[in-house]
Amino acid sequence: MADVDAALGKAGLHNIHVRDFVRRWNELTGAARIEVISESDDARLIDEALAAGEILPAGPGRYYSRSYIKDTARSEERTVVATSNPADMGIYNNWRPAGQMRRIVEERMRGASAGKIMYVLPYLMAPAGSPLERYAAGVQLTDSRTVALHMMRMARVSPRHIDRLADQNRFVRAVHVTGNLGQLQQGTPGDQRLFVTIADERTILHFGSAYGGNALLGKIAHGLRQAAYDGWASGEFLAEQFMLIGISDELTGKRYHICGGFPSASGKTNLAMMLPPAELGSRYRVDFYGDDIAWLRVDPVDGKIYAMNPEFGVFGVAKDTSEATNPIALAAVAPGTGTMFTNVAYNQNTQEVWWEGRTPGPPADLAGWSDWTGALIAERAPEDARAPWAHPNSRFTTTLANVPNIAQDFADPKGVPVDAIIFGGRARDREPLIRAILDPAEAVYDGLTLGAEATFAAEGVDGLLRYDPMSMRPFMSYPEGAYAAHWLKLIRSAASTPIFAHVNWFQRDPQNGRYLWPGYRDNLRPLIWLLRLKEGEVHGKQTPVGIVPAKEELDLRGVAIAAEDLETILSIDARRWLQEMRHREQHLKLFQGLPAEIWQAHHRVAAALSCWDGGREAGR
Ligand code: OXD
Ligand code: MN
């Protein structure tokens, strides 16, 4: 067994609760050696991982890794939130009893790290000094060096975060054990993987993966599931799968912050990293704070809602990231940034990486290229010729500081005051470009009914969305009714309320499927309209589902959009909306104890739609 005291003492980690925690899990998992990690260990770990062949060089200062072929994404069906209180069971949190889950996962972890190093990563999911710091401290144990390297890019890792805790016993205990990936029967009835957050014990136990949110426990398990539970239990904050950006108006000198949630494949990272369109670039600047998580609290001094990105990096989907869609992301993963790519295509001769959408077509010269599984492209069987080179969930991992337009105050422990909260899905019709919502209950109702059209399996099921409340469906850790009540309470306790809006960049021409709005950089235009609406500079048009811009209120200089398309994306199709209201009702009925205000908002919107005569004609 490892000498825990010696390893912790050498690293200057004196917290006795950490020592007991490491000792216990070292005994249970059988790890041969303990290493405490701090940010200064990055270069050494990189060298060791290169020497061991766990990662490969991807040009100067960049690295490449492949995950096990059946370990390429988060697995929602193997993910559980456990507590000791059955009343914590919700629809989406996959609740189980804490005692039972602990026993099962401990059995799977027993002896499973034998012969391996156990890396001890003391981390903080917040800038140091944050008012939410007592919810942000954690110690992750992992038996994978590549997981440690990813974790160091995604969280602030250092023993000093844990040694200077006011309450030395108050840190999230996070244990990651990879397991024998070749024998876990992934995706079968005998699947051995188990990803458990014991929320009322602030303990995270993940077994059976070395990829993404299954293995980097600071990000999703702590940053979202545990933090959402803590925020509710304490009544102090919300933890949401939200991006966060700043918009500066150089003409007026005003600075705004917008955060918001989008179900996956709805363009959240591209929006978070957006640059202004050329015509607006001399007046507006967009700053990046984060693309995936925001914690929201009410500041006791000025009563405003503040948002903070608890992460230290970006774990972005590589697919479709290009100069056209997201030049900022490409700059953030440029040579010298220490970026780790996972499951993209790799060229062993040139150390280049490539993924679908990076360029219009794949590299013409196939020499040296292998796909994400490691198979040489040039040796593919004819029937595999069309298979993607990169896995659709391939990723890049880079630190926030590498993002060229990172906000200067991104590490301000206080976070930033929020002016607007937006929700956005992917809807081919019905949802206008933007609709502002002034009433907080109606806004929370809108967030709870957020969804995105299923992209393939359910395509064609008229009007059917995969609902994803606030984009938190995979991360819910307590019942949805209580979640809605907590949202309402937090917003109402603020002295000033952000403006809310629902956005949709994805309306299509029903005849040929063409997108009606150009998207990407031009998405700044409706957001500026929203901020101007908040300032009282524009008034928009009231509809049953919110305020939409009057055409002339949008700054459309340089946008090539036909008048008819503009009309469509700024209109409400009441017939389609009424269909959707029936689906919403079914969806909301799933949730026990939903506050009456949410139902009232639903009925108010439905009633207003039934007598709305300003929409487009039915049968369009
Ligand atoms: C996710 C992620 O799985 O951000 O949502 O990685
Ligand atoms: Mn996410």
PDB file of all heavy atoms in Angstrom, residues 20 40 69 72 86 129 156 179 202 206 236 274 289 314 358 374 413 501 505 536-537 559 617-618:
ATOM      1  N   ASP A  20      -7.278  11.400   5.579  1.00  0.00           N
ATOM      2  CA  ASP A  20      -8.142  10.249   5.884  1.00  0.00           C
ATOM      3  C   ASP A  20      -8.870   9.761   4.628  1.00  0.00           C
ATOM      4  O   ASP A  20      -9.040   8.559   4.404  1.00  0.00           O
ATOM      5  CB  ASP A  20      -9.170  10.623   6.961  1.00  0.00           C
ATOM      6  CG  ASP A  20      -8.487  10.874   8.303  1.00  0.00           C
ATOM      7  OD1 ASP A  20      -7.287  10.538   8.430  1.00  0.00           O
ATOM      8  OD2 ASP A  20      -9.144  11.432   9.201  1.00  0.00           O
ATOM      9  N   SER A  40       1.958  23.079 -11.215  1.00  0.00           N
ATOM     10  CA  SER A  40       3.356  23.054 -11.671  1.00  0.00           C
ATOM     11  C   SER A  40       3.783  21.664 -12.159  1.00  0.00           C
ATOM     12  O   SER A  40       4.876  21.492 -12.691  1.00  0.00           O
ATOM     13  CB  SER A  40       4.275  23.520 -10.538  1.00  0.00           C
ATOM     14  OG  SER A  40       4.081  22.666  -9.438  1.00  0.00           O
ATOM     15  N   ILE A  69     -12.648   2.595 -27.264  1.00  0.00           N
ATOM     16  CA  ILE A  69     -13.641   2.703 -28.340  1.00  0.00           C
ATOM     17  C   ILE A  69     -15.098   2.731 -27.840  1.00  0.00           C
ATOM     18  O   ILE A  69     -15.974   3.324 -28.457  1.00  0.00           O
ATOM     19  CB  ILE A  69     -13.388   1.582 -29.370  1.00  0.00           C
ATOM     20  CG1 ILE A  69     -14.207   1.793 -30.616  1.00  0.00           C
ATOM     21  CG2 ILE A  69     -13.600   0.226 -28.787  1.00  0.00           C
ATOM     22  CD1 ILE A  69     -13.643   1.049 -31.804  1.00  0.00           C
ATOM     23  N   THR A  72     -16.778   6.956 -25.129  1.00  0.00           N
ATOM     24  CA  THR A  72     -16.613   8.167 -25.937  1.00  0.00           C
ATOM     25  C   THR A  72     -17.581   9.285 -25.571  1.00  0.00           C
ATOM     26  O   THR A  72     -17.571  10.334 -26.216  1.00  0.00           O
ATOM     27  CB  THR A  72     -16.856   7.818 -27.428  1.00  0.00           C
ATOM     28  OG1 THR A  72     -18.140   7.190 -27.520  1.00  0.00           O
ATOM     29  CG2 THR A  72     -15.783   6.890 -27.966  1.00  0.00           C
ATOM     30  N   PRO A  86     -35.707   9.692   0.063  1.00  0.00           N
ATOM     31  CA  PRO A  86     -36.438   9.344  -1.174  1.00  0.00           C
ATOM     32  C   PRO A  86     -37.213  10.522  -1.755  1.00  0.00           C
ATOM     33  O   PRO A  86     -37.501  10.537  -2.953  1.00  0.00           O
ATOM     34  CB  PRO A  86     -37.405   8.237  -0.710  1.00  0.00           C
ATOM     35  CG  PRO A  86     -36.814   7.703   0.550  1.00  0.00           C
ATOM     36  CD  PRO A  86     -36.057   8.818   1.201  1.00  0.00           C
ATOM     37  N   GLY A 129     -11.304  32.976  -3.631  1.00  0.00           N
ATOM     38  CA  GLY A 129     -11.892  34.157  -2.989  1.00  0.00           C
ATOM     39  C   GLY A 129     -13.339  34.387  -3.374  1.00  0.00           C
ATOM     40  O   GLY A 129     -13.967  35.360  -2.923  1.00  0.00           O
ATOM     41  N   ARG A 156      -9.099  24.649 -11.360  1.00  0.00           N
ATOM     42  CA  ARG A 156      -7.902  25.216 -10.712  1.00  0.00           C
ATOM     43  C   ARG A 156      -7.376  24.162  -9.735  1.00  0.00           C
ATOM     44  O   ARG A 156      -8.050  23.867  -8.744  1.00  0.00           O
ATOM     45  CB  ARG A 156      -8.264  26.519 -10.008  1.00  0.00           C
ATOM     46  CG  ARG A 156      -8.670  27.619 -10.982  1.00  0.00           C
ATOM     47  CD  ARG A 156      -9.392  28.753 -10.288  1.00  0.00           C
ATOM     48  NE  ARG A 156      -9.543  29.887 -11.188  1.00  0.00           N
ATOM     49  CZ  ARG A 156     -10.576  30.085 -12.019  1.00  0.00           C
ATOM     50  NH1 ARG A 156     -11.557  29.202 -12.067  1.00  0.00           N
ATOM     51  NH2 ARG A 156     -10.625  31.145 -12.797  1.00  0.00           N
ATOM     52  N   GLY A 179     -11.270   1.387 -14.072  1.00  0.00           N
ATOM     53  CA  GLY A 179     -11.762   0.023 -14.292  1.00  0.00           C
ATOM     54  C   GLY A 179     -11.136  -0.590 -15.534  1.00  0.00           C
ATOM     55  O   GLY A 179     -10.425   0.083 -16.288  1.00  0.00           O
ATOM     56  N   ARG A 202     -21.979  14.986  -0.341  1.00  0.00           N
ATOM     57  CA  ARG A 202     -20.981  15.725  -1.144  1.00  0.00           C
ATOM     58  C   ARG A 202     -19.839  14.779  -1.553  1.00  0.00           C
ATOM     59  O   ARG A 202     -18.661  15.081  -1.435  1.00  0.00           O
ATOM     60  CB  ARG A 202     -20.472  16.963  -0.391  1.00  0.00           C
ATOM     61  CG  ARG A 202     -21.618  17.850   0.091  1.00  0.00           C
ATOM     62  CD  ARG A 202     -21.191  19.229   0.525  1.00  0.00           C
ATOM     63  NE  ARG A 202     -20.927  20.093  -0.623  1.00  0.00           N
ATOM     64  CZ  ARG A 202     -19.817  20.807  -0.788  1.00  0.00           C
ATOM     65  NH1 ARG A 202     -18.859  20.727   0.108  1.00  0.00           N
ATOM     66  NH2 ARG A 202     -19.658  21.571  -1.831  1.00  0.00           N
ATOM     67  N   HIS A 206     -17.220   7.715  -9.385  1.00  0.00           N
ATOM     68  CA  HIS A 206     -17.414   7.348 -10.799  1.00  0.00           C
ATOM     69  C   HIS A 206     -16.509   6.174 -11.152  1.00  0.00           C
ATOM     70  O   HIS A 206     -15.285   6.253 -11.009  1.00  0.00           O
ATOM     71  CB  HIS A 206     -17.088   8.526 -11.717  1.00  0.00           C
ATOM     72  CG  HIS A 206     -18.206   9.520 -11.817  1.00  0.00           C
ATOM     73  ND1 HIS A 206     -18.419  10.297 -12.942  1.00  0.00           N
ATOM     74  CD2 HIS A 206     -19.188   9.856 -10.956  1.00  0.00           C
ATOM     75  CE1 HIS A 206     -19.471  11.079 -12.747  1.00  0.00           C
ATOM     76  NE2 HIS A 206     -19.953  10.838 -11.551  1.00  0.00           N
ATOM     77  N   GLU A 236     -28.744  29.369  -1.606  1.00  0.00           N
ATOM     78  CA  GLU A 236     -27.867  30.498  -1.936  1.00  0.00           C
ATOM     79  C   GLU A 236     -27.627  30.748  -3.418  1.00  0.00           C
ATOM     80  O   GLU A 236     -27.298  31.843  -3.810  1.00  0.00           O
ATOM     81  CB  GLU A 236     -26.491  30.282  -1.289  1.00  0.00           C
ATOM     82  CG  GLU A 236     -26.444  30.650   0.161  1.00  0.00           C
ATOM     83  CD  GLU A 236     -25.032  30.554   0.701  1.00  0.00           C
ATOM     84  OE1 GLU A 236     -24.095  31.093   0.087  1.00  0.00           O
ATOM     85  OE2 GLU A 236     -24.872  29.913   1.743  1.00  0.00           O
ATOM     86  N   MET A 274     -18.441  34.026 -29.898  1.00  0.00           N
ATOM     87  CA  MET A 274     -18.783  34.833 -31.079  1.00  0.00           C
ATOM     88  C   MET A 274     -17.967  36.129 -31.144  1.00  0.00           C
ATOM     89  O   MET A 274     -17.693  36.763 -30.140  1.00  0.00           O
ATOM     90  CB  MET A 274     -20.275  35.113 -30.950  1.00  0.00           C
ATOM     91  CG  MET A 274     -20.835  36.270 -31.686  1.00  0.00           C
ATOM     92  SD  MET A 274     -22.610  36.380 -31.293  1.00  0.00           S
ATOM     93  CE  MET A 274     -22.567  36.921 -29.588  1.00  0.00           C
ATOM     94  N   TYR A 289     -16.498  34.608 -21.223  1.00  0.00           N
ATOM     95  CA  TYR A 289     -16.299  34.197 -19.821  1.00  0.00           C
ATOM     96  C   TYR A 289     -16.347  32.680 -19.685  1.00  0.00           C
ATOM     97  O   TYR A 289     -15.617  32.104 -18.890  1.00  0.00           O
ATOM     98  CB  TYR A 289     -17.375  34.806 -18.914  1.00  0.00           C
ATOM     99  CG  TYR A 289     -17.188  36.272 -18.642  1.00  0.00           C
ATOM    100  CD1 TYR A 289     -17.744  37.229 -19.487  1.00  0.00           C
ATOM    101  CD2 TYR A 289     -16.448  36.711 -17.547  1.00  0.00           C
ATOM    102  CE1 TYR A 289     -17.566  38.575 -19.246  1.00  0.00           C
ATOM    103  CE2 TYR A 289     -16.267  38.065 -17.295  1.00  0.00           C
ATOM    104  CZ  TYR A 289     -16.825  38.985 -18.152  1.00  0.00           C
ATOM    105  OH  TYR A 289     -16.642  40.320 -17.912  1.00  0.00           O
ATOM    106  N   VAL A 314     -12.002  25.034 -21.331  1.00  0.00           N
ATOM    107  CA  VAL A 314     -13.083  24.733 -22.267  1.00  0.00           C
ATOM    108  C   VAL A 314     -12.897  23.296 -22.743  1.00  0.00           C
ATOM    109  O   VAL A 314     -11.794  22.928 -23.173  1.00  0.00           O
ATOM    110  CB  VAL A 314     -13.026  25.670 -23.492  1.00  0.00           C
ATOM    111  CG1 VAL A 314     -14.128  25.342 -24.485  1.00  0.00           C
ATOM    112  CG2 VAL A 314     -13.106  27.125 -23.067  1.00  0.00           C
ATOM    113  N   ARG A 358     -13.781  20.747 -40.043  1.00  0.00           N
ATOM    114  CA  ARG A 358     -12.598  21.602 -39.830  1.00  0.00           C
ATOM    115  C   ARG A 358     -12.263  22.338 -41.125  1.00  0.00           C
ATOM    116  O   ARG A 358     -11.925  23.519 -41.131  1.00  0.00           O
ATOM    117  CB  ARG A 358     -11.425  20.727 -39.362  1.00  0.00           C
ATOM    118  CG  ARG A 358     -10.070  21.411 -39.324  1.00  0.00           C
ATOM    119  CD  ARG A 358     -10.020  22.421 -38.192  1.00  0.00           C
ATOM    120  NE  ARG A 358      -8.803  23.218 -38.222  1.00  0.00           N
ATOM    121  CZ  ARG A 358      -8.622  24.299 -38.976  1.00  0.00           C
ATOM    122  NH1 ARG A 358      -9.590  24.721 -39.781  1.00  0.00           N
ATOM    123  NH2 ARG A 358      -7.496  24.972 -38.922  1.00  0.00           N
ATOM    124  N   GLY A 374      -7.851   4.832 -34.385  1.00  0.00           N
ATOM    125  CA  GLY A 374      -6.459   4.446 -34.613  1.00  0.00           C
ATOM    126  C   GLY A 374      -6.265   3.682 -35.912  1.00  0.00           C
ATOM    127  O   GLY A 374      -5.140   3.327 -36.255  1.00  0.00           O
ATOM    128  N   PRO A 413     -13.284  37.155  -8.439  1.00  0.00           N
ATOM    129  CA  PRO A 413     -13.999  36.209  -7.569  1.00  0.00           C
ATOM    130  C   PRO A 413     -15.479  36.540  -7.419  1.00  0.00           C
ATOM    131  O   PRO A 413     -16.292  35.642  -7.181  1.00  0.00           O
ATOM    132  CB  PRO A 413     -13.285  36.338  -6.223  1.00  0.00           C
ATOM    133  CG  PRO A 413     -12.237  37.373  -6.359  1.00  0.00           C
ATOM    134  CD  PRO A 413     -12.143  37.801  -7.787  1.00  0.00           C
ATOM    135  N   ALA A 501     -34.945  36.113 -22.400  1.00  0.00           N
ATOM    136  CA  ALA A 501     -35.369  35.952 -23.796  1.00  0.00           C
ATOM    137  C   ALA A 501     -35.179  34.521 -24.237  1.00  0.00           C
ATOM    138  O   ALA A 501     -34.376  33.779 -23.668  1.00  0.00           O
ATOM    139  CB  ALA A 501     -34.557  36.873 -24.705  1.00  0.00           C
ATOM    140  N   TRP A 505     -31.798  30.347 -33.647  1.00  0.00           N
ATOM    141  CA  TRP A 505     -31.077  30.725 -34.873  1.00  0.00           C
ATOM    142  C   TRP A 505     -31.415  29.767 -36.022  1.00  0.00           C
ATOM    143  O   TRP A 505     -30.806  29.838 -37.071  1.00  0.00           O
ATOM    144  CB  TRP A 505     -29.556  30.661 -34.653  1.00  0.00           C
ATOM    145  CG  TRP A 505     -29.003  31.076 -33.325  1.00  0.00           C
ATOM    146  CD1 TRP A 505     -28.106  30.375 -32.584  1.00  0.00           C
ATOM    147  CD2 TRP A 505     -29.235  32.289 -32.598  1.00  0.00           C
ATOM    148  NE1 TRP A 505     -27.780  31.071 -31.435  1.00  0.00           N
ATOM    149  CE2 TRP A 505     -28.465  32.249 -31.415  1.00  0.00           C
ATOM    150  CE3 TRP A 505     -30.041  33.423 -32.818  1.00  0.00           C
ATOM    151  CZ2 TRP A 505     -28.453  33.261 -30.461  1.00  0.00           C
ATOM    152  CZ3 TRP A 505     -30.042  34.436 -31.868  1.00  0.00           C
ATOM    153  CH2 TRP A 505     -29.264  34.352 -30.717  1.00  0.00           C
ATOM    154  N   GLY A 536     -34.895  50.476 -22.631  1.00  0.00           N
ATOM    155  CA  GLY A 536     -36.041  51.301 -23.040  1.00  0.00           C
ATOM    156  C   GLY A 536     -35.803  52.050 -24.340  1.00  0.00           C
ATOM    157  O   GLY A 536     -36.541  52.973 -24.680  1.00  0.00           O
ATOM    158  N   GLU A 537     -34.796  51.652 -25.110  1.00  0.00           N
ATOM    159  CA  GLU A 537     -34.491  52.371 -26.359  1.00  0.00           C
ATOM    160  C   GLU A 537     -35.309  51.851 -27.538  1.00  0.00           C
ATOM    161  O   GLU A 537     -35.444  52.521 -28.552  1.00  0.00           O
ATOM    162  CB  GLU A 537     -32.995  52.215 -26.689  1.00  0.00           C
ATOM    163  CG  GLU A 537     -32.093  52.911 -25.695  1.00  0.00           C
ATOM    164  CD  GLU A 537     -30.631  52.516 -25.839  1.00  0.00           C
ATOM    165  OE1 GLU A 537     -30.258  51.951 -26.893  1.00  0.00           O
ATOM    166  OE2 GLU A 537     -29.879  52.758 -24.890  1.00  0.00           O
ATOM    167  N   VAL A 559     -26.519  42.392 -43.519  1.00  0.00           N
ATOM    168  CA  VAL A 559     -27.125  41.053 -43.494  1.00  0.00           C
ATOM    169  C   VAL A 559     -27.931  40.854 -44.773  1.00  0.00           C
ATOM    170  O   VAL A 559     -28.814  41.668 -45.078  1.00  0.00           O
ATOM    171  CB  VAL A 559     -28.084  40.884 -42.298  1.00  0.00           C
ATOM    172  CG1 VAL A 559     -28.671  39.477 -42.269  1.00  0.00           C
ATOM    173  CG2 VAL A 559     -27.373  41.178 -41.003  1.00  0.00           C
ATOM    174  N   GLU A 617     -50.955  33.219 -40.987  1.00  0.00           N
ATOM    175  CA  GLU A 617     -52.122  32.401 -41.266  1.00  0.00           C
ATOM    176  C   GLU A 617     -51.824  30.918 -41.051  1.00  0.00           C
ATOM    177  O   GLU A 617     -50.727  30.448 -41.331  1.00  0.00           O
ATOM    178  CB  GLU A 617     -52.541  32.588 -42.729  1.00  0.00           C
ATOM    179  CG  GLU A 617     -53.112  33.967 -43.009  1.00  0.00           C
ATOM    180  CD  GLU A 617     -54.259  34.306 -42.097  1.00  0.00           C
ATOM    181  OE1 GLU A 617     -55.193  33.464 -41.996  1.00  0.00           O
ATOM    182  OE2 GLU A 617     -54.220  35.358 -41.450  1.00  0.00           O
ATOM    183  N   ALA A 618     -52.814  30.220 -40.539  1.00  0.00           N
ATOM    184  CA  ALA A 618     -52.666  28.773 -40.399  1.00  0.00           C
ATOM    185  C   ALA A 618     -52.443  28.167 -41.784  1.00  0.00           C
ATOM    186  O   ALA A 618     -52.887  28.711 -42.785  1.00  0.00           O
ATOM    187  CB  ALA A 618     -53.909  28.188 -39.771  1.00  0.00           C
TER     188      ALA A 618
END
